Amino acid sequence: MTATSIKSEFSGHSGATLAARIDIPAGHVRAYALFAHCFTCTKDILAAKRIAAELSRAGIAVMRFDFTGLGSSEGEFASTNFSSNVADLLSAVDYMRDKFEAPSILIGHSLGGAAVLAVAGDVPEAKAVATIGAPADVAHVVHNFGTKIEEIESQGEATVQLAGRPFTIQKQFLDDVRQNVLTERIASMRKALMVLHSPIDQTVGIENAATIFTAAKHPKSFVSLDNADHLVSRAQDASYAASIIATWASRYLEEDEPQGLTEVEAVRVSETGEGKFQNTVHAGRHRLFTDEPVSVGGLDSGPSPYDFLSAALGACTSMTLRMYANHKKADLGRITVDVSHAKIHANDCMECTSEEQQKGGRIDRFERAITIDGAVADELREKIEEIADKCPVHRTLEASSKVVTSVSVNDA
């Protein structure tokens, strides 16, 4: 599946605006996942992007975001700690629950893995948790501060170089990570768990995976990321981790009744609040986006309304041809229908009747190009265009329709 990646924002635990990105699969969304990045990393670290892309190809939408004070998010990193990261995660869950669907999969990398283990028990919709290179002890991160630990203890804060960048670490951070014990939370979270870890991880040793795995109740699984580094920086390692997570998590997804998604009788279109024009389209159990191109002020996160109209004509044409071929038990190769839409002057329309041309003004013109790959039975060759014109959507577009509108106001 080809994903659409859209930018978003929500309020974190402190009220700071946090930057997020959501990778939405094309077609039916099987589930939503929330990804937590590593310590001092951002949502755009290569591993996060690759894993989100791979999961979206498997039909799983993924939201990743920058914790307070990191990446494109607001706030002061120096004032944050592990507990604030957990609070930011819960804010992200609330945002997803309100705008899309609560995550049924929680994924965390390194300290982000520790954070999802800590928060999993507080997300009732979550069915599965996956960690990548996660520490079993939150205080494990302190070793990155080296000789600066004494300065932080005595002076209250110090500037520490992490991944080549300076970060201010305050004593409250040390106090917080030392107070957070994960083993009890892991044992009581009641979620399926997958622990992914590299045996050659030089930042968070493999013994951490053993501790997490032992603390967890079944169902639980372990996957060795052989030869991967801590940041899972190689594309093949990230893709492998994502494919394993997607396959494993499928066992715990409610495919027949997607989590948090109720069926509607009518097609429901609702604004998301993101950008000027973005809406969700809820049809039965399926959820899509509709939007406008960036050139007219949209986010380009989904097809435009006229794109959907063209898609309806193309899909109906293909289905009508297939139904006819099946009914006649005739050979008909794979069908492709290209539909383009334009508004043209009626008097320039060669296909229009003289009456339509006399009315003048602009009319909607849909150009439909049908391509057949492979066999076409002799009895169908001369009838394809005639059959296509019998497509119900084609007839609807050419006939007059009546739109009946009612308005209701839901007062707060």
Side-chain angles (χ1 to χ4, degrees), residues 73-94:
S73 290
E74 295 179 348
E76 292 294 328
F77 175 79
S79 65
T80 66
N81 51 40
F82 183 74
S83 294
S84 71
N85 284 352
V86 169
D88 278 347
L89 271 174
L90 287 173
S91 296
V93 170
D94 287 340

Side-chain angles (χ1 to χ4, degrees), residues 28-101:
H28 173 57
V29 178
R30 297 169 58 208
Y32 280 78
L34 177 60
F35 186 99
H37 62 69
C38 52
F39 183 54
T40 72
C41 298
T42 73
K43 68 182 182 306
D44 296 316
I45 188 173
L46 286 176
K49 291 196 292 185
R50 287 167 177 162
I51 289 171
E54 191 70 27
L55 287 172
S56 65
R57 279 192 284 272
I60 298 172
V62 183
M63 186 173 103
R64 46 196 164 96
F65 70 98
D66 294 328
F67 284 108
T68 299
L70 292 172
S72 301
S73 290
E74 295 179 348
E76 292 294 328
F77 175 79
S79 65
T80 66
N81 51 40
F82 183 74
S83 294
S84 71
N85 284 352
V86 169
D88 278 347
L89 271 174
L90 287 173
S91 296
V93 170
D94 287 340
Y95 172 77
M96 294 178 70
R97 186 183 287 124
D98 179 55
K99 294 293 186 180
F100 304 99
E101 180 181 321

Side-chain angles (χ1 to χ4, degrees), residues 118-316:
V119 80
D122 297 322
V123 184
E125 299 92 341
K127 304 297 182 186
V129 178
T131 64
I132 305 168
D137 179 7
V138 180
H140 182 279
V141 72
V142 172
H143 86 276
N144 292 295
F145 307 154
T147 58
K148 292 288 187 175
I149 296 176
E150 291 185 7
E151 183 180 342
I152 298 170
E153 296 277 15
S154 61
Q155 301 298 322
E157 66 178 38
T159 299
V160 177
Q161 292 290 325
L162 299 170
R165 294 177 294 158
F167 290 91
T168 299
I169 305 296
Q170 296 180 345
K171 185 176 182 298
Q172 58 86 20
F173 184 95
L174 299 183
D175 295 338
D176 181 74
V177 295
R178 288 165 177 165
Q179 292 172 3
N180 274 279
V181 179
L182 285 181
T183 50
E184 292 182 2
R185 299 193 194 188
I186 296 171
S188 63
M189 67 180 183
R190 299 183 182 279
K191 316 288 181 183
L193 174 67
M194 172 173 279
V195 180
L196 300 97
H197 214 111
S198 170
I200 61 170
D201 192 327
Q202 299 298 306
T203 304
V204 179
I206 189 67
E207 66 276 5
N208 287 270
T211 302
I212 293 171
F213 188 85
T214 302
K217 301 292 193 294
H218 284 289
K220 56 185 177 180
S221 305
F222 172 77
V223 173
S224 178
L225 299 178
D226 298 337
N227 301 316
D229 58 22
H230 178 67
L231 293 179
V232 198
S233 57
R234 294 193 308 169
Q236 57 265 47
D237 294 327
S239 295
Y240 174 71
S243 62
I244 289 293
I245 292 170
T247 302
W248 165 79
S250 295
R251 191 176 188 87
Y252 306 101
L253 301 182
E254 299 176 3
E255 295 285 0
D256 293 334
E257 297 181 9
Q259 186 70 27
L261 186 59
T262 55
E263 292 193 13
V264 294
E265 292 183 6
V267 174
R268 178 177 298 161
V269 180
S270 306
E271 287 188 313
T272 66
E274 303 298 331
K276 291 182 179 180
F277 305 116
Q278 188 189 80
N279 280 257
T280 54
V281 180
H282 192 172
R285 54 176 295 207
H286 305 286
R287 187 172 290 176
L288 307 166
F289 279 111
T290 183
D291 204 344
E292 291 288 357
V294 174
S295 59
V296 296
L299 298 175
D300 198 25
S301 59
S304 72
Y306 274 107
D307 288 338
F308 273 112
L309 196 55
S310 297
L313 176 59
C316 182

